[in-house]
Amino acid sequence: MGPPTRADRLRELRLRARRAADRKSRQVGRISRTSMRYAVFMCGAGGVAAFSMAFAYIAELALRWNASVTRATPWLAFVMLPFGLAALRWLTIRFAPQARGSGIPQVIAAVTLAPASTAQTVLVSFRQSMWKVLLTTGALLAGASVGREGPSVQVGAAAMLSWGRWCHEKLQFRIGFHPNALIAAGAAGGLAAAFNTPLAGVVFAIEELGRGTAVRWDRVVLSGVLTAGFLSLAIFGNNPYFSVKVPMLVLTSAWGPVLLCAVVNGVMGGLFAKILIAGVPGLAPRAWRGWLADHPVAVAFGCGLVVAALGWATAGATFGTGYEQASGLINGESHSTLWFGIAKFLATVVSYFAGIPGGIFTPSLAIGAGIGENIAHFMTGMAEPRVLALVSMAAFLAAATQAPITASVIVMEMTRTQDLTIYLLAASLLASFLSRQFNPHPFYHHMGHAFRREAMAIGRRQPSP
């Protein structure tokens, strides 16, 4: 063949220019696609943070109202709690059966189900989450020993999933929104915003939601979790959830008491989870189980009487989340009732037995702080007894949930006690190990299996959305 002609050279140049333009167009498309995913995830994370902060504000109002009423007229608790828990149980059965309990088991179950299926939607529907907010607030108003952080996880998951579906259906953003990623990002973002702890939200997402699931953790999902936490920090400031007014001394001589706290809380936390899993039917005589299962509202009424009696015996200390009591104990303010930890343990178990919406996260921290105070009371010569209350918070939570990394990181971040991280990690790991001897299956995951079975049964009766 002869040398290329002028026309051949022009054709070659045009072909090269066209290829370069195509490469640039594809690159811009990839950049635009990634930017759009980030933008939509960040907007969704902002919505999750807003829901969590609004929920926190409403819950705080309910707690303050209950405290003012029960302190002025203590006997009113024997009216508000039995009738309140019975009414909340009836409303839960009638309108939001998948909103009962913590909310974290529902999210764990949802990420193991077929994406976009009816069963998955049932567990993290936006309608159920709004009932969750309303009913949990009602439980706090009545004085039940429940928390709002677990419900914030389910609410965040539902909000993020609804946002992603709306963008996909209404705005036609077909940019790879996987339902499981949306659920996990919203759930962890809800926890991060609830506790004002962005790092703890990421750890919770990986340790709890990523355990045994096919959730794909990419930078977009984790960025959404961090965004929710950082928005909370931006609005409320860099203020810890629990404020430690005087820094704690880190003493090597505290290792013995710290390990004792881990052992005691590991046993107590394991029994706590085992009792919650068993429920009323598991603890009642066999002859009574049929009647108890057929009369859930009456059971809730009886639970309300028990919670009211515990609150009356402790001057109202066991009502609500236990935040004030835990905050006081880690600041060296001993409670007037020495056995606050045990009373809070019983009040939280009985409140859970009522079958109403409400979490166990903050109550578990309060129980641990109370147990730590008991241990410090019997150990004379302890230079810094507050360390035991703080370490016991992480140890009991780790034992109850069998998520030691989450427990230690969340307590460290919510109290800004980085100097005690090694104590928190050691106590949490040991307590979690001991808890498994009493309860081999983690509480949230065990309850998640039950919710998964319920949701699949509903899915078989209803067509997919």
Side-chain angles (χ1 to χ4, degrees):
M1 298 179 61
T5 63
R6 179 182 177 86
D8 292 336
R9 288 195 294 271
L10 287 175
R11 280 196 297 272
E12 180 66 22
L13 289 173
R14 291 194 194 100
L15 182 60
R16 290 179 181 177
R18 191 178 301 114
R19 288 172 178 170
D22 289 342
R23 284 196 299 270
K24 187 174 182 180
S25 177
R26 286 194 298 270
Q27 184 179 12
V28 171
R30 284 195 297 269
I31 294 173
S32 300
R33 180 189 177 93
T34 302
S35 300
M36 187 63 70
R37 291 191 73 211
Y38 268 103
V40 173
F41 256 86
M42 298 311 106
C43 289
V48 168
F51 272 111
S52 294
M53 289 184 283
F55 188 12
Y57 177 76
I58 296 169
E60 188 62 32
L61 289 179
L63 288 168
R64 285 204 296 264
W65 185 89
N66 176 268
S68 64
V69 169
T70 53
R71 286 170 186 166
T73 317
W75 62 265
L76 272 179
F78 288 92
V79 177
M80 294 190 302
L81 274 162
F83 289 99
L85 296 195
L88 291 169
R89 179 58 173 152
W90 183 86
L91 289 169
T92 301
I93 295 171
R94 178 70 178 81
F95 297 105
Q98 304 305 320
R100 69 186 187 277
S102 166
I104 296 176
Q106 289 92 317
V107 173
I108 290 173
V111 296
T112 65
L113 291 166
S117 63
T118 299
Q120 186 181 70
T121 304
V122 163
L123 292 174
V124 286
S125 73
F126 194 72
R127 176 180 173 275
Q128 293 269 326
S129 69
M130 292 300 98
W131 274 107
K132 187 90 170 185
V133 172
L134 179 63
L135 296 174
T136 302
T137 303
L140 294 172
L141 196 65
S145 180
V146 297
R148 62 169 175 81
E149 290 76 21
S152 295
V153 170
Q154 189 177 11
V155 171
M160 193 72 164
L161 182 62
S162 297
W163 167 250
R165 285 180 173 171
W166 186 85
C167 290
H168 183 80
E169 295 171 4
K170 303 297 182 181
L171 304 182
Q172 298 299 313
F173 285 168
R174 301 183 181 277
I175 52 176
F177 285 135
H178 196 282
N180 287 359
L182 290 166
I183 291 170
L191 185 72
F195 277 127
N196 215 19
T197 52
L199 179 59
V202 172
V203 175
F204 168 80
I206 296 172
E207 186 177 30
E208 279 287 19
L209 302 182
R211 186 189 307 182
T213 69
V215 175
R216 182 186 171 205
W217 297 108
D218 57 21
R219 286 174 293 179
V220 179
V221 175
L222 295 180
S223 297
V225 177
L226 291 171
T227 298
F230 288 143
L231 283 174
S232 177
L233 286 174
I235 293 174
F236 292 116
N238 191 21
N239 300 313
Y241 187 79
F242 288 106
S243 177
V244 179
K245 299 171 185 176
V246 179
M248 298 184 187
L249 298 176
V250 183
L251 302 173
T252 55
S253 60
W255 270 111
V258 164
L259 294 178
L260 178 61
C261 284
V263 171
V264 174
N265 282 283
V267 173
M268 294 294 291
L271 292 174
F272 177 76
K274 190 176 184 69
I275 293 170
L276 292 183
I277 289 171
V280 175
L283 300 178
R286 187 179 299 274
W288 297 5
R289 294 177 185 175
W291 186 90
L292 293 171
D294 294 336
H295 299 84
V297 176
V299 171
F301 186 92
C303 290
L305 286 174
V306 175
V307 176
L310 289 167
W312 177 80
T314 57
T318 58
F319 294 146
T321 62
Y323 168 83
E324 289 186 10
Q325 290 75 21
S327 181
L329 290 173
I330 63 175
N331 281 290
E333 302 169 8
S334 295
H335 196 269
S336 57
T337 303
L338 178 61
W339 300 105
F340 162 74
I342 302 300
K344 188 65 175 174
F345 181 107
L346 295 173
T348 305
V349 166
V350 176
S351 296
Y352 189 87
F353 283 173
I356 59 174
I360 63 166
F361 230 106
T362 307
S364 293
L365 296 173
I367 294 168
I371 293 174
E373 184 201 24
N374 294 151
I375 296 173
H377 179 80
F378 291 106
M379 297 197 69
T380 58
M382 181 74 185
E384 187 63 282
R386 295 181 301 156
V387 171
L388 300 189
L390 183 70
V391 167
S392 292
M393 288 170 64
F396 188 87
L397 181 61
T401 62
Q402 293 185 23
I405 308 302
T406 297
S408 54
V409 170
I410 205 167
V411 171
M412 177 271 292
E413 194 175 10
M414 70 168 54
T415 58
R416 305 295 193 268
T417 51
Q418 289 84 352
D419 292 344
L420 296 172
T421 302
I422 186 65
Y423 284 156
L424 297 174
L425 277 169
S428 297
L429 289 168
L430 179 56
S432 180
F433 171 78
L434 292 173
S435 173
R436 290 193 189 96
Q437 314 314 308
F438 296 89
N439 188 50
H441 303 289
F443 168 70
Y444 287 139
H445 289 263
H446 188 282
M447 300 307 297
H449 289 312
F451 278 106
R452 188 176 189 274
R453 288 192 296 270
E454 290 182 23
M456 291 179 69
I458 294 172
R460 285 191 290 269
R461 295 195 299 267
Q462 299 177 7
S464 297

